[in-house]
């Protein structure tokens, strides 16, 4: 059974810092890994999708990496802004989509 | 471009009343459709998924049901709501799971 863990559970940083969110998983037999952002009371917004054959994806200030052999993915956010404050979820698709519990990020101005 | 719509955005219903939440997808054909629930302080739980009209699979036994009367329409229902049905309900679609999922904006259901 796939288990997904996200560390840290919560993070508070000053504006401008570069930061890393971590996602680890137990079963490397996955097709892809997707990072989502969720604002309070809102739906999920897809940030980055990494196929199992890929090692990383980039979009603007975001970079996500995938290392299947070690069962880890990281989401790197450069030059954080208050607007980045949200919950970040990683989800893996093997034979079904499994979510981590999320990291609550607060960027202070 | 593809879009997904959910309504209503918020709903307050008394215990024992019926429920109908609707989700529609535009800009794609034959999508896989999903209903998830996100309870307070907990992760996302898959409730139902559908690979085609009239084809519904249930992941967990519960007080809810789902239907897919049209290719791009997915409905979540209940005949009699329980307090434990409160939560944030999210609809999602994928054309193929390996291409990722797209989620709707969600419905906040409070059963009182």
């Amino acid at each position: 059974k796939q288990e997904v863990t996200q560390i840290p559970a919560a993070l508070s940083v000053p504006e401008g810092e570069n930061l890393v969110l971590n996602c680890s998983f137990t079963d490397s037999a996955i097709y892809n890994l997707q990072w989502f952002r969720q604002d309070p009371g809102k739906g999920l917004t897809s940030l980055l999708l990494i196929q199992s054959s890929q090692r990383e994806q980039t979009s603007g200030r975001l970079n996500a990496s995938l290392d299947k052999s070690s069962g880890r993915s990281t989401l790197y956010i450069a030059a954080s802004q208050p607007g980045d404050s949200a919950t970040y979820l990683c989800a893996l698709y093997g034979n079904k989509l499994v979510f981590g519990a999320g990291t609550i990020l607060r960027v202070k101005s | 471009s593809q879009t997904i719509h959910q309504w209503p955005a918020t709903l307050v219903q008394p215990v024992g009343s019926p429920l109908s939440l609707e989700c529609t997808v535009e800009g794609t054909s034959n999508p896989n459709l999903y209903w998830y629930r996100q309870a307070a302080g907990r992760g996302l739980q898959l409730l139902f998924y559908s690979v085609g009209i009239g084809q519904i699979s249930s992941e967990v036994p519960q007080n809810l049901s789902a239907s897919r009367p049209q290719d791009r329409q997915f409905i979540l229902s209940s005949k009699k709501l329980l307090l434990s049905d409160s939560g944030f309900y999210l609809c999602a679609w994928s054309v193929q799971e390996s291409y990722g999922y797209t989620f709707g904006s969600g419905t906040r259901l409070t059963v009182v």
Side-chain angles (χ1 to χ4, degrees):
Chain A
K1 177 185 174 184
Q2 178 73 274
E3 294 183 3
V4 182
T5 304
Q6 289 189 245
I7 295 173
L11 183 63
S12 182
V13 301
E15 182 177 7
E17 274 205 8
N18 302 323
L19 55 99
V20 175
L21 308 182
N22 297 289
C23 174
S24 61
F25 49 95
T26 55
D27 186 351
S28 62
I30 63 172
Y31 289 101
N32 62 46
L33 184 147
Q34 198 166 359
W35 281 94
F36 293 92
R37 166 186 173 139
Q38 185 175 30
D39 293 289
K42 304 296 184 182
L44 276 64
T45 300
S46 180
L47 298 174
L48 291 164
L49 171 69
I50 310 177
Q51 300 290 349
S52 62
S53 58
Q54 299 172 326
R55 293 192 63 85
E56 67 176 344
Q57 283 288 333
T58 298
S59 176
R61 295 183 293 108
L62 305 179
N63 175 276
S65 67
L66 173 63
D67 184 345
K68 287 174 54 179
S69 62
S70 65
R72 300 174 73 173
S73 174
T74 60
L75 178 66
Y76 175 82
I77 302 177
S80 58
Q81 302 171 358
D84 294 329
S85 298
T87 298
Y88 290 80
L89 297 158
C90 70
L92 292 81
Y93 181 72
N95 58 2
K96 66 177 185 179
L97 193 66
V98 180
F99 282 87
T103 293
I104 301 171
L105 172 65
R106 180 188 172 206
V107 181
K108 298 172 289 186
S109 57
Chain B
S1 64
Q2 300 92 353
T3 57
I4 180 169
H5 302 281
Q6 268 190 261
W7 67 92
T10 59
L11 191 59
V12 180
Q13 291 284 98
V15 169
S17 63
L19 173 73
S20 181
L21 303 181
E22 190 162 343
C23 171
T24 59
V25 180
E26 296 178 358
T28 187
S29 297
N30 302 315
N32 297 326
L33 297 172
Y34 310 84
W35 279 111
Y36 283 83
R37 176 169 58 201
Q38 188 176 37
R42 300 172 64 180
L44 280 92
Q45 179 185 36
L46 178 63
L47 302 176
F48 301 95
Y49 68 93
S50 171
V51 298
I53 296 173
Q55 300 179 60
I56 309 294
S57 297
S58 174
E59 283 292 299
V60 293
Q62 58 205 306
N63 184 44
L64 303 168
S65 62
S67 62
R68 185 170 177 174
Q70 300 180 43
D71 180 46
R72 290 169 288 177
Q73 183 184 31
F74 205 22
I75 297 172
L76 184 69
S77 304
S78 174
K79 293 182 179 179
K80 291 184 178 181
L81 284 168
L82 306 172
L83 286 174
S84 58
D85 292 323
S86 294
F88 191 53
Y89 289 83
L90 289 156
C91 180
W93 73 274
S94 70
V95 62
Q96 185 175 330
E97 284 81 357
S98 58
Y99 294 162
Y101 289 62
T102 300
F103 281 79
S105 56
T107 295
R108 171 73 58 192
L109 172 65
T110 304
V111 182
V112 296

